[in-house]
Amino acid sequence: MRGFSSDYLRRTRRGMWGDREALELARLGDAESVLDVGCGNGEFTRVLVEETDEADVVGCDFDLSHLSDVRESLGVPVVAGDARSLPFSDASFGTVACQALLVNLREPRHGVDEMARVASDRVVCVEPDNSSVCVESTVAGEPELARRSRRRYLEGSDTDPALGTDVPSLLRDAGLRDVSVTRYEQELVTEPPYDESDVTAVRRKASGESFRGRRDDMEGDEETLDSLRDDWREIGREAALQLSGKEYVRRETVPFYVVVGKK
Ligand SMILES: C[S@@+](CC[C@H](N)C(=O)[O-])C[C@H]1O[C@@H](n2cnc3c(N)ncnc32)[C@H](O)[C@@H]1O
């Protein structure tokens, strides 16, 4: 099981859903109940709570480590459950949603089938295409190193990190109709004034800690991956130097696909 720390989820969701136009076709304001599958620490659950009008929102995840935080911080019920076999009966929720869940499933089709089964009205999936992420940085080698690492990740992962563009056909195959797609670009920006998570991210880069967390998902022999880790440490050290002079700027654009299907 791929684990996601709260810190990682907070950092990687930064800048997400400042603009919510791409969620319009989900018609969250009309929903009476919403299930957020793979809710993690509740980054998307919070958006669902804010966008629905007094709907009952429920979070569900098979990783128990975040669930009590979601319950306490958002005041929503949470249920421990596996997306491949959801612990709910057919049509229990009006809308069933997920964000960055299907890219983590070996059989995303089963996840979509389950979401369609427990929804009575619509299914909303927000999934990235991690093959088209774009990185710009004031550290000269960082965009190229990010590209090289991404290639290894795409080849080594046992799930499909580029799934976003295939989600519409998964929804159609699950028998959902009127499937609509909106592309949404998340911009993750690091620039002065830095906050604590910027400083931590750069420190983890320089120490090789952030690379260690992704290494198991990468294709390559030990020597190749060691060399990639060393390159990241070097980039991290340069980023730390620029950060101390308030010169470090990094912009990462992640394309997400908001896919909505009706029962
Ligand atoms: C990348 S995180 C996304 C979390 C949250 N939806 C967000 O957008 O911030 C993926 C989440 O899916 C959960 N997950 C992965 N496989 C799952 C499964 N089979 N059943 C339930 N949850 C799962 C993970 O535990 C994790 O919390």
Side-chain angles (χ1 to χ4, degrees):
M1 174 175 108
R2 203 176 274 161
F4 298 91
S5 71
S6 264
D7 179 54
Y8 170 86
L9 289 172
R10 250 193 314 275
R11 196 157 30 81
T12 51
R13 293 290 166 264
R14 214 161 60 169
M16 186 111 185
W17 299 128
D19 175 356
R20 299 191 179 167
E21 210 180 309
L23 286 175
E24 263 171 26
L25 286 169
R27 302 180 68 115
L28 293 167
D30 297 344
E32 286 183 3
S33 56
V34 184
L35 175 68
D36 182 12
V37 187
C39 64
N41 68 339
E43 293 289 328
F44 191 47
T45 323
R46 181 176 49 75
V47 174
L48 295 171
V49 169
E50 288 168 3
E51 290 300 305
T52 49
D53 188 18
E54 295 184 8
D56 295 324
V57 177
V58 175
C60 174
D61 204 294
F62 72 172
D63 179 351
L64 307 184
S65 63
H66 304 299
L67 288 183
S68 55
D69 285 349
V70 174
R71 187 178 50 230
E72 276 154 36
S73 64
L74 298 174
V76 301
V78 289
V79 177
D82 193 323
R84 296 162 295 187
S85 168
L86 288 168
F88 304 104
S89 50
D90 297 359
S92 323
F93 295 87
T95 296
V96 179
C98 70
Q99 176 174 279
L101 165 76
L102 303 176
V103 282
N104 290 297
L105 300 184
R106 284 193 196 140
E107 296 274 4
R109 194 169 47 87
H110 292 162
V112 174
D113 285 347
E114 274 296 273
M115 291 174 74
R117 180 183 68 76
V118 303
S120 64
D121 184 28
R122 59 190 75 212
V123 169
V124 178
C125 300
V126 181
E127 295 292 331
D129 169 5
N130 287 312
S131 66
S132 304
V133 172
C134 175
V135 174
E136 296 167 70
S137 170
T138 48
V139 175
E142 188 167 9
E144 167 54 20
L145 186 57
R147 254 194 306 276
R148 264 200 286 148
S149 303
R150 196 173 322 115
R151 241 189 344 260
R152 300 220 160 265
Y153 174 58
L154 291 169
E155 282 165 18
S157 174
D158 60 358
T159 68
D160 181 3
L163 184 78
T165 48
D166 294 334
V167 175
S169 56
L170 290 177
L171 264 65
R172 285 189 201 100
D173 291 348
L176 295 162
R177 54 187 181 82
D178 298 343
V179 174
S180 63
V181 189
T182 314
R183 187 181 148 105
Y184 172 76
E185 288 193 346
Q186 177 198 18
E187 288 236 307
L188 269 161
V189 184
T190 306
E191 63 188 356
Y194 308 113
D195 65 18
E196 210 179 304
S197 79
D198 294 326
V199 178
T200 307
V202 168
R203 186 184 47 72
R204 292 183 78 241
K205 218 178 269 187
S207 69
E209 207 180 320
S210 52
F211 183 80
R212 215 171 20 254
R214 282 173 290 160
R215 184 175 178 132
D216 286 350
D217 281 324
M218 287 188 178
E219 186 277 332
D221 56 33
E222 290 299 297
E223 202 183 329
T224 310
L225 295 181
D226 280 351
S227 146
L228 206 57
R229 176 203 59 204
D230 293 345
D231 290 348
W232 269 117
R233 283 183 177 155
E234 209 176 305
I235 292 289
R237 282 194 290 270
E238 176 57 26
L241 215 64
Q242 291 192 8
L243 195 95
S244 65
K246 298 191 173 37
E247 286 161 2
Y248 183 54
V249 178
R250 181 183 189 276
R251 188 177 300 274
E252 179 172 332
T253 309
V254 187
F256 277 84
Y257 291 83
V258 180
V259 187
V260 181
K262 289 193 201 140
K263 279 294 285 267

